[in-house]
Amino acid sequence: MMRILLLGGTTEASALAKQLAVAGRDAVFSYAGRTARPVSQPLSMRLGGFGGVAGLVEYLRSEGISHVVDATHPFAAQMSANAVAACAEAGVALCALERQPWQAGEGDSWLSVTDMQGAVGALPQSGARVFLAIGKQNLDIFATKPDNHYLLRLVDAPEGALPLPDTTVIIARGPFDAAGDQALMAQHGITHVVAKNAGGVGAEAKLQAARALGVPIVMIDRPQVPDRKILRTVGEVMTWLEHS
Ligand code: NAP
């Protein structure tokens, strides 16, 4: 009997959940539980971590999971590494639904860095107006450059004080569009964008906006994840499930 665990948290995961529901598949959708109001899914849902590799192995066994689809964000490297290890241990089939990384094109001004520290290092010491498009994690790393202004776009309003002294916070959930992001960046006089190389369409708007405005992007490369089967579209995942 096929029973699927879908590791979510992305637009693509939600699109796959719809297809699985339409196809009448037996599947569980898993969220880390990072946002206050996660988007509801047409599958049975669970929330929160599994408790590392051991916890995930235990979950896979007790729930009778036969297939895992890892559709987490490309920067959720811990979850993805855990899925590789746990599926190998439990003998469960695994594939990742992962977008292609973005590539700099005509008119783009990118400075590629390997991690958050590199992104901080790439910013001026002071006077920049930075669209820090990295979500709520890792903001503290930028506190070493407190004399820049930071525009933050977050899913939920921050609970405590932010680690950065000079910020504008906008509460919004993607997908975003290029015209809206261009207006936002112009309104805030943005001089630099810091982005994770997530890939995909919904988060690409800021890149198009930066290109139109001639604003440089500090682009953070994806973290490494152990080898696994990678599929690029929801259709490819559905086909993989049909044939396995
Ligand atoms: P992470 O660092 O790879 O994961 C940390 C821990 O969170 C994992 O070890 C796991 O806990 C738990 N976890 C993560 N994703 C989970 C899921 N789908 N279901 C159950 N537990 C999960 O991940 P992260 O970067 O904090 O991202 C958390 C979630 O936000 C992911 O679902 C991801 O798709 C989404 N997201 C992340 C980003 C980003 O930039 N990182 C952007 C957009 C959306 P245990 O070890 O206890 O199992």
Side-chain angles (χ1 to χ4, degrees):
M1 279 293 284
M2 181 180 281
R3 182 160 160 78
I4 302 158
L5 172 64
L6 171 53
L7 301 171
T10 57
T11 310
E12 288 77 3
S14 300
L16 176 59
K18 268 200 200 113
Q19 293 293 314
L20 291 171
V22 167
R25 293 287 191 172
D26 182 12
V28 182
F29 191 105
S30 176
Y31 274 122
R34 294 280 191 279
T35 56
R37 282 174 302 282
V39 176
S40 178
Q41 300 293 340
L43 301 172
S44 68
M45 284 166 58
R46 66 166 300 287
L47 219 69
F50 299 94
V53 175
L56 183 52
V57 169
E58 166 62 25
Y59 179 88
L60 296 174
R61 289 189 173 138
S62 64
E63 289 291 319
I65 301 293
S66 60
H67 292 71
V68 173
V69 180
D70 177 0
T72 57
H73 190 272
F75 278 70
Q78 185 63 56
M79 185 69 251
S80 293
N82 290 358
V84 170
C87 287
E89 194 176 328
V92 166
L94 167 71
C95 81
L97 170 55
E98 191 186 77
R99 322 147 173 172
Q100 290 277 10
W102 294 312
Q103 306 219 319
E106 184 77 32
D108 283 326
S109 165
W110 280 23
L111 184 64
S112 291
V113 296
T114 51
D115 53 22
M116 287 291 162
Q117 283 296 353
V120 179
L123 292 176
Q125 204 57 45
S126 65
R129 297 186 59 84
V130 183
F131 181 15
L132 196 49
I134 59 166
K136 69 177 171 185
Q137 298 182 60
N138 304 120
L139 294 179
D140 51 338
I141 300 178
F142 291 82
T144 54
K145 295 234 168 124
D147 298 327
N148 294 319
H149 178 81
Y150 295 95
L151 172 65
L152 310 178
R153 180 160 62 191
L154 307 174
V155 176
D156 300 309
E159 280 172 7
L162 289 166
L164 301 168
D166 184 9
T167 58
T168 303
V169 178
I170 287 166
I171 306 302
R173 195 194 290 260
F176 302 103
D177 67 80
D181 273 11
Q182 190 172 333
L184 177 76
M185 285 163 58
Q187 182 195 346
H188 292 274
I190 294 303
T191 61
H192 298 74
V193 175
V194 176
K196 298 175 180 176
N197 196 336
V201 176
E204 198 182 11
K206 57 184 174 280
L207 311 190
Q208 295 160 343
R211 186 180 307 140
L213 294 168
V215 169
I217 301 180
V218 178
M219 185 63 79
I220 306 166
D221 291 341
R222 293 178 175 188
Q224 294 289 326
V225 174
D227 262 357
R228 66 246 163 102
K229 182 180 193 64
I230 293 177
L231 301 174
R232 295 297 184 197
T233 64
V234 167
E236 283 173 34
V237 175
M238 293 303 288
T239 304
W240 177 71
L241 291 169
E242 271 158 36
H243 294 100
S244 52

